[in-house]
Amino acid sequence: MASVSQSSKPATERPVLLRADNIVKRFPGVVALKGVSFDLREGEIHALCGENGAGKSTLIKTLSGIHPFGSYEGQMLLDNKPLELRSTGDAETNKIAVIYQELALVPEMSVAENIFLGREPKRGAFIDWITMSEQSRALLQRFGINVDPDTRVRDLGVGLQQLVEIVKALAKESRILILDEPTAALSESEVEILLDILRDLRERGVTCVYISHKLGEVFAIADRITVLRDGASIVTLDADKTDRSEVIRNMVGREIGDLFPRHATNPGAPLLQVRDLNVAPPEGSNTRLRDISFEVRAGEVLGIGGLMGAGRSELLMHIFGAWGTRTSGDVSLGGISLNANSPARSIAAGLVMVTEDRKRYGLVLEESIGFNLSLSSLGGMTASGLLDGNREWKENRHYFDSLRVKAPGLESIVGKLSGGNQQKVVLGKALMTKPKVVFLDEPTRGIDVGAKLEVYNLINELTASGQAVVLVSSELPELMGMSDRIIMLHEGEIGGTFSRQDATPEKLLAAAMGQPVPTDHTLLV
Amino acid sequence: MATSSVSVADSALAKSPAQSDSRVPIRDFSMVIALVVIWGFFAIASPNFISARNLSNLTVELSITAILSLGMLLVILGGYIDLSIGSGVGLLGAISAVLLSQHNWPAPLAMLVAIIVAVIIWFGMGALIVTQRIPAFIITLAGLLVFKGLHWKVIQNSTIPVTHGGEDNLYSLLTTWYLPPIWGIVLGAAVFALLATGTWRARQRRESFGLSVDTREVAFARLLVTGQLIALFVLVCNGYQGIPLSALILAAAAFMVWVLTQHTRFGRYLYAIGGNEEAAHVSGIPVTKVVIGTFVIMGLITALGGFMQTAYAGSSTTTTGELLELDAIAACVIGGTSLKGGRGNVVGVLFGSLIMASLLNGMTLMAISPEIKYIARGLVLALAVWMDVRLNKGK
């Protein structure tokens, strides 16, 4: 602690290294950052907390040059001099390193090659393999990471890969290290190694920005905490003068008004029943689903929430037949067992899913609206082997009109529509299959307020006609506003189930974070 | 004009943008210009090129190239490729030829055996590609080599005629039988009448749905040009021996592939898989079945192409079918088929095939040496793909 003079001073007394002043970042149709200010003091670990969509990732992208200077409003100062990052290269020159959730390692190369990628030590015209290997070994040892530098990265677990990524950033002798959800993929012992590394770095005078939902880690390591909400910085707190509930309150703190016009219906018989589901992830993922049981009744909206990586989308995709391998458990739809191993079977049984990533899983972008709308329903439009054009036209027209898709006509190309209208086409495609149960995964992501309201009304229409809806949403207000019941997932397990009346943001967030759910009602928003 | 005869008759309501895309007419137009230039050049360089006899030969050659290209269209639409069909043509043609001329089997039975072999092989390749996720490029490249070796084994590196004792049979007649001239005229008139009524009905239907239609003048002019082309084709063919049987086979194959791509679930699924395979899967499309089905159709078409190519040469030799896969791919790409999948149509592929067949026929007629022909084929293929990449930019 005492080896570097600055670290002995409390964080509040150290000089400011980087200052962000009222940063505003606009995307077409959305204001992602509405004014974020915070300062980073030399040698501190500064945590950024906020719900999904609060603006954390956008903020990082401005700090790393991905959103270049000029694409945002406001000012950044490094050492009291204006900081104008025009590229990620500029960030590197200024000794700012970012470690993203998605790793940027080359899996086929060795650990050493990755650490020195792009700045390999040379002897003459050739790479000096021996120096590279030795320097890597020294670096890894210094941080207590037990990995042979000659191992191929693909042979390491995700956690070790993450640590290698961090070492790679440190090898560039960065002054500021920004970590975006670094522990999402780490086991507990790996988290400990990481936290030790960060403490060690703090002693060496490296400044850290630490982004995490996991308040346990945040309080274990951060000197100060800045809370973001709806694209604005709400407050900066000293870690030793605050507690979790204050942070959560600041993360949530907003009113849930009449933005969500849910008309609850009297739920009927159970439609979808899920019992003791255990699912192993496919290759390349480490979200494992454990002991999940729930049921959805006719006319009911079941909300599923949770933090990034909690397994929300994976759960829906699995039941739909498009993700993971079931190790145990049972799913039934309307009393009939549905253990679908393909979306085609689910759709035939009356279960349809609107996926979160509509461009990847939802639409054939180069094709027309009509082509996409009827794509899942062509089976019922075929007579003696040929498509019945009249019938297809009528169905397409019906959904085009009732969903109020704003486009010149059914022959318009889907790829050229706005996000909201594309989403309506995906919804129309799902509804045309005449489902009993509809899975909606983030159905309002990236669409404007008006289109959101139309989606909410559609949910009401579905439940009013006796269909069941399962709604996954990262936005707590949406989840609370539109669901009749809410399940919060935490690391692949059910962290808590809440009725509409019981649900408060504090309780939901606590369940999502695996914390004990607060029982009193003293924490008012 | 290239899209006139068929796409007007098309009444699919969720039309593929391949036909409504604003870029396509430019490409169609450039195809017509290319064709006129090629024909003009050969007509001057080698006046025999436009003789009735050569045009009749060209029709047979076109039929073979185009039939294979239509199969290739299906494979490429789904986002895959088949490099094995040239060798497949050689192998399948040879199997029937050997059974027929050396074992004295009746032609239909000898051909049936080759067809069954084709279905089994292409089912296997399709299954490997789509279930084991091995790139189609590799599997079919392996097929190219394996089938070539099998072909040579089957014919024992010799020349096997497609007849037994010089007697005509169903197999040998595939490329040597001609429709009597009077029937050619009747058929031409009938096709034109069907086309005209089809166009009219499709037009009325689009109007009743409130969709845009061409002005009456444009529609009429299109029909008139199409009619003239049909009449010209019949007259030229009748100037020699009549419409070749192979042209009728091509017409039937083209019609079937057109119906398949535009008016069936299978075809719609194929466009969806080629456009976005993940979305197709999540939309409930049986991707595995459709892709395997496509390869099985490719196998059937390869067998048909194999019979025709072998019959046209009169016998199966070690070089039968060689490089036909590249001609087929070039024809598809020239005809506006995107190698990424999801875009392309029958009319374009027919045009692309006509360009390829004309080039090869003309060069042979000019007695251009084989080495130059190889170079020219390679350059045309590269040029076609380059055009495809250029036109796809900004997508």
Side-chain angles (χ1 to χ4, degrees), chain B residues 352-375:
Chain B
S353 306
L354 185 53
I355 288 179
M356 284 309 287
S358 303
L359 274 175
L360 292 171
N361 174 287
M363 287 194 296
T364 310
L365 217 58
M366 285 175 69
I368 289 175
S369 62
E371 49 271 38
I372 300 296
K373 273 163 80 179
Y374 276 126
I375 294 171

Side-chain angles (χ1 to χ4, degrees), chain B residues 77-129:
Chain B
L77 272 184
Y80 296 84
I81 198 141
D82 191 342
L83 299 178
S84 72
I85 61 170
S87 293
V89 159
L91 171 64
L92 298 167
I95 289 173
S96 305
V98 166
L99 289 176
L100 198 144
S101 73
Q102 296 191 340
H103 301 275
N104 202 12
W105 284 35
L109 209 58
M111 290 157 82
L112 184 67
V113 170
I115 287 172
I116 292 170
V117 169
V119 168
I120 293 170
I121 291 178
W122 264 264
F123 178 91
M125 289 204 298
L128 274 178
I129 288 163

Side-chain angles (χ1 to χ4, degrees), chain A residues 148-223:
Chain A
D148 179 355
D150 296 327
T151 324
R152 273 194 315 173
V153 161
R154 63 171 299 169
D155 295 332
L156 299 178
V158 185
L160 281 174
Q161 290 187 8
Q162 187 93 40
L163 295 177
V164 168
E165 175 98 30
I166 290 166
V167 170
K168 179 181 161 190
L170 296 175
K172 296 174 188 165
E173 286 168 14
S174 313
R175 286 173 77 189
I176 301 177
L177 188 61
I178 302 174
L179 299 110
D180 188 4
E181 303 276 357
T183 58
L186 300 194
S187 71
E188 266 177 45
S189 59
E190 286 164 341
V191 170
E192 275 313 308
I193 295 180
L194 176 73
L195 295 186
D196 281 343
I197 291 177
L198 294 180
R199 290 187 189 106
D200 180 53
L201 288 174
R202 172 161 57 189
E203 288 190 21
R204 292 165 200 265
V206 176
T207 309
C208 256
V209 179
Y210 189 89
I211 291 130
S212 182
H213 300 293
K214 299 186 182 169
L215 291 188
E217 287 164 19
V218 166
F219 276 94
I221 198 163
D223 297 306

